[in-house]
Amino acid sequence: MPEFDAAMWFLVATTCFAAFVNGAIGYGFSSLTVPLALIFYTNRILNPAIVIIEVFVNVYVLLVNLKGVRVVWRRVFPVLLGLLPGIALGGYALTSLQPGWIKFATYTIILPLILLQAAGWRRPIEASWLIGLPFGWMLGLLYSVTTISGPPLAMLFNNQGLVKHEFRAGLALVRVAESSVTALVYYQLGLFISESGSLFYVFIPGVMLGIPLGSYVIRRLDPEIFRRICMSFDAWIVGFGLSRVLIEIDLVQSAWAYSVMAAAILIDLCLLYLFLTTHSPIWSERRSRRTADISA
């Protein structure tokens, strides 16, 4: 068992909140945990612990949403096939690249995805072989390097018009596959080291508490508003992390680096204001029913 210092207690609180969000909306554990944890640890230490936790988390979410798998598995099958070469390439990149640049890539990739999702970007997309295979390849690469895949997956499934149980089942199915295969690739590359094992024990209490609590609480909240507020929190964290890593790799001087965080916060506040002024629970419920009618 690890000795708990201030950083580890901070991670316990972070993972508890991230697990709470994951239990509520079906994803968000890694996209909330990783940006904060990268302040203290590199991807090579952090990723193996995150991946093992996510195997169990994603299997749990899949079991809860098994009814939707029968409907969505054909849609996600091309994505699942595309994952395999992407994960292999990403695992190799993780062992080869300088940790600071991996952090930089993590933040610069996920920040635009979060902001696009926050903006409510919608385009009709069919997960055909033409779209699914390259999307899966890029998703596998992104996940094995960063352990983050929730934002692009959510964008894909939201733009396919999936209803709630189908959305969560599709997410869980892809994330079980990507986390399991990534764990095997990490094992083959010798990435499971003692420091990662210590973080694994740190993550367990937050996950055990957060996921069931999130599943319970979301029944009493407007899920769209809760999801949107979580996006804002995520965007602000990623903006902060990107500013810090710009200083770490000597790309921008300290005074100017935090302008990236300021810009991310300003953009998100504008998007959040637009969302809150146009959203209502009644409208959201009607939209969900209309989507269900179309899918039927």
Side-chain angles (χ1 to χ4, degrees):
M1 292 292 291
E3 294 183 5
F4 279 70
D5 55 15
M8 286 192 171
W9 282 115
F10 177 77
L11 282 182
V12 169
T14 300
T15 54
C16 185
F17 174 71
F20 174 82
V21 173
N22 202 115
I25 64 176
Y27 68 97
F29 179 77
S30 57
S31 58
L32 288 169
T33 301
V34 170
L36 283 172
L38 283 178
I39 297 172
F40 305 103
Y41 303 96
T42 65
N43 289 83
R44 292 179 194 175
I45 295 174
L46 180 65
N47 285 16
I50 292 279
V51 164
I52 293 300
I53 288 290
E54 287 218 319
V55 170
F56 294 101
V57 170
N58 295 329
V59 167
Y60 169 79
V61 176
L62 181 62
L63 291 175
V64 171
N65 296 277
L66 270 180
K67 291 182 179 179
V69 172
R70 182 174 55 84
V71 179
V72 300
W73 76 268
R74 288 186 177 85
R75 294 193 186 190
V76 303
F77 186 68
V79 177
L80 296 178
L81 286 183
L83 285 173
L84 303 178
I87 289 172
L89 180 60
Y92 176 76
L94 187 64
T95 61
S96 306
L97 299 178
Q98 198 271 338
W101 285 101
I102 296 178
K103 289 184 183 182
F104 175 73
T106 302
Y107 290 131
T108 53
I109 290 171
I110 64 176
L111 182 58
L113 291 174
I114 293 169
L115 292 176
L116 276 174
Q117 200 178 353
W121 187 80
R122 293 287 188 274
R123 294 291 186 277
I125 298 175
E126 289 294 332
S128 63
W129 289 92
L130 184 63
I131 297 296
L133 281 175
F135 180 86
W137 183 87
M138 291 185 289
L139 190 73
L141 177 63
L142 175 66
Y143 184 81
S144 58
V145 174
T146 68
T147 72
I148 294 173
S149 64
L153 268 176
M155 286 181 62
L156 176 69
F157 292 150
N158 279 329
N159 290 335
Q160 289 182 344
L162 299 182
V163 294
K164 182 179 177 180
H165 71 282
E166 297 172 355
F167 176 88
R168 291 171 66 93
L171 277 175
L173 192 58
V174 173
R175 289 176 65 79
V176 165
E178 68 186 5
S179 57
S180 302
V181 174
T182 300
L184 291 174
V185 170
Y186 284 0
Y187 176 77
Q188 292 295 323
L189 293 172
L191 290 174
F192 288 105
I193 56 178
S194 58
E195 291 91 337
S196 299
S198 298
L199 290 183
F200 175 76
Y201 289 112
V202 171
F203 293 156
I204 289 175
V207 171
M208 296 293 289
L209 176 64
I211 288 181
L213 185 61
S215 300
Y216 174 78
V217 171
I218 197 62
R219 301 169 191 167
R220 290 158 177 78
L221 298 175
D222 183 322
E224 284 294 312
I225 292 179
F226 178 80
R227 184 177 64 89
R228 183 58 188 83
I229 291 173
C230 290
M231 280 186 217
S232 290
F233 181 73
D234 205 7
W236 294 21
I237 292 172
V238 173
F240 173 71
L242 181 55
S243 296
R244 283 181 59 90
V245 81
L246 287 172
I247 299 170
E248 180 182 328
I249 60 179
D250 296 322
L251 280 184
V252 181
Q253 294 182 352
S254 58
W256 287 101
Y258 288 99
S259 63
V260 175
M261 179 181 70
I265 292 174
L266 181 61
I267 293 170
D268 178 72
L269 285 175
C270 293
L271 295 174
L272 182 60
Y273 173 78
L274 291 173
F275 171 81
L276 292 176
T277 53
T278 57
H279 174 83
S280 72
I282 295 176
W283 180 84
S284 179
E285 184 179 351
R286 287 175 179 172
R287 184 181 64 176
S288 299
R289 289 176 179 172
R290 186 163 57 249
T291 304
D293 292 340
I294 294 172
S295 300

